[in-house]
Amino acid sequence: MLGATLCVALTICSRNFGDRGGPSFMASLTLAGIVYLFAIREFFATPTFSRRVAVIGLVLAAMWHIAFLRVPAGGDDDIHRYVWDGRLQRLGYNPYLVVPGDPAAKGLHTPETRNLNNPDLPSPYPPGAQLFCRAVTAIQESTFALKVAFVICEFAIVFVLLDILRFTGQGAHLVLAFAWNPLLAVEVAGSGHIDIFGALLLVVSAAALVRRWRATAAVALGLAIAVKFLPVVLLPLYWKRVRIRDAALAAAVVVLLYLPFLNHGRIPIGSLGTYVQTFRFNGPVFAALARVAPPQWLAGLAVLVGLATATWLRIRTTAPDSSSDVFAWPIFAWPMAASLLCAPAVFPWYLLWLLPFLTSASTLLMIIWTVSIFPTYVMWHLRTLGRPWGALPVWVMLLEYGCVAAAAAIIGFRRFTRPPSRL
């Protein structure tokens, strides 16, 4: 019943995707989020379901993904930039140097890239993302082809998760905690964001660590960092879990990815510096501290917070030579969540990195965040009404972070008042 309701709600949501953040879109997405949280309660409360439950659940997820695939991406979604970056590479240009809005580049555009967002800036995406875009656009140069590729990445994550759940003796139904999250439908099948490709590489790396395939784990992490820099905060989790030669191999692979984009021997960063300096969205911690510190320092602080969280979690886990060192899968999510909380911009698709690791009750706060972030879509609707892109309405951020804070307070209170267990 929950799966069927979720399917109906998200199908309605897909039909209103053109007015993202509008009343109909928000009503159906809110219903989907509430149903998803009820489903999470069932998943975590029941040790095992029959295999049929997981199969039917995945079929339902495929249905609403198809509904979102059929609608075009938003006019200013990042996927148009992905098509542009892939096209530039195939034409022999460097996406870190060519500015889309430059009149000299007018002849390089297609109808899908002519109105991409931030046309006055070159690409900010690392080389792993660039090469992925090039590979997909070599097959078909369109936003639809990229959306299909991203959905394939999502279902690849499902298969890796099923393997890990079987390997660790957990119920296969927990894969639905990932597959049913509404953010996947909106931001992967709907908008199409490359974060899901990076999340796939990170899941492969984590799964390789569980199986002690150390070289694979190190290289996959390096590739994930080469898609977006967020998983760099997970490096402490790999301390003494991979060998020095594995780390060297991973570093060499990342360096090789940068070689095609070198400019006079310099490693290009595109508009990444501009992003840190000027992009602001849904980042309350960064906004509060921006009054007392420059943005470069605060960006470094966000990374430092993530690294510190990962270091603390690494210290708490068992010794690397222990046979029981199959560490808890969810610990990968916490350092990234801590870093995002301090980031200058927290777009909904950034949370895609967390989703594969939210398969236990210990991650409930992050699961709630993936739903409470829905009100931020109001900004897309306000923009269509003529309001400039920028600060969210106060009520949106109060609702988003207030839900997480209230849940944390309730969980903390229950733990504090719980009577001690008897021996």
Side-chain angles (χ1 to χ4, degrees), residues 158-177:
V158 166
F159 287 115
V160 177
L161 284 177
L162 285 172
D163 179 67
I164 289 298
L165 292 171
R166 181 189 59 80
F167 183 77
T168 57
Q170 297 175 280
H173 66 281
L174 290 175
V175 74
L176 299 181

Side-chain angles (χ1 to χ4, degrees), residues 58 61-63 65 150-160 178-179:
L58 292 175
M63 290 173 61
H65 275 75
F150 294 145
V151 171
I152 291 173
C153 290
E154 180 185 333
F155 278 92
I157 292 175
V158 166
F159 287 115
V160 177
F178 166 75

Side-chain angles (χ1 to χ4, degrees), residues 163-422:
D163 179 67
I164 289 298
L165 292 171
R166 181 189 59 80
F167 183 77
T168 57
Q170 297 175 280
H173 66 281
L174 290 175
V175 74
L176 299 181
F178 166 75
W180 280 15
N181 193 296
L183 273 183
L184 288 174
V186 176
E187 298 299 349
V188 178
S191 298
H193 282 283
I194 203 162
D195 301 69
I196 197 65
F197 174 56
L200 170 60
L201 293 169
L202 183 57
V203 167
V204 170
S205 176
L209 267 191
V210 171
R211 292 182 175 272
R212 299 182 184 276
W213 298 343
R214 299 176 180 179
T216 302
V219 171
L221 176 65
L223 293 174
I225 294 172
V227 173
K228 278 194 174 179
F229 296 125
L230 176 61
V232 73
V233 300
L234 300 175
L235 287 176
L237 296 180
Y238 289 75
W239 176 252
K240 292 187 177 181
R241 286 192 171 113
V242 299
R243 298 159 296 194
I244 294 178
R245 64 173 178 267
D246 300 326
L249 176 61
V253 169
V254 174
V255 170
L256 288 174
L257 293 179
Y258 269 104
L259 289 182
F261 305 101
L262 292 180
N263 178 35
H264 301 294
R266 297 178 181 176
I267 296 178
I269 61 171
S271 58
L272 185 61
T274 304
Y275 170 85
V276 173
Q277 288 282 352
T278 62
F279 278 56
R280 303 289 181 268
F281 181 81
N282 191 32
V285 175
F286 194 99
L289 296 178
R291 304 172 184 176
V292 297
Q296 298 93 328
W297 288 19
L298 296 180
L301 175 64
V303 176
L304 184 61
V305 168
L307 289 171
T309 304
T311 301
W312 179 71
L313 291 170
R314 180 64 185 95
I315 293 171
R316 290 190 61 190
T317 55
T318 56
D321 57 349
S322 170
S323 60
S324 63
D325 191 38
V326 180
F327 51 89
W329 185 259
I331 68 172
F332 274 79
W334 286 106
M336 294 188 292
S339 186
L340 285 174
L341 190 62
C342 301
V346 187
F347 293 105
W349 55 89
Y350 288 4
L351 302 191
L352 294 176
W353 290 90
L354 312 181
L355 296 187
F357 306 101
L358 308 184
T359 56
S360 78
S362 65
T363 62
L364 185 58
L365 291 181
M366 287 180 285
I367 291 173
I368 292 173
W369 192 14
T370 67
V371 174
S372 69
I373 201 172
F374 291 170
T376 61
Y377 286 116
V378 169
M379 177 55 72
W380 278 258
H381 180 67
L382 293 176
R383 189 176 182 183
T384 64
L385 299 179
R387 179 168 173 171
W389 184 272
L392 284 163
V394 175
W395 67 266
V396 171
M397 299 184 72
L398 287 176
L399 182 59
E400 175 188 355
Y401 294 102
C403 286
V404 178
I410 293 172
I411 292 172
F413 177 77
R414 287 184 175 180
R415 288 183 178 178
F416 180 76
T417 56
R418 182 182 303 167
S421 59
R422 297 182 179 180

Side-chain angles (χ1 to χ4, degrees), residues 67-78:
F68 273 92
L69 273 175
R70 294 175 59 186
V71 299
D76 62 348
D77 280 336
D78 292 342

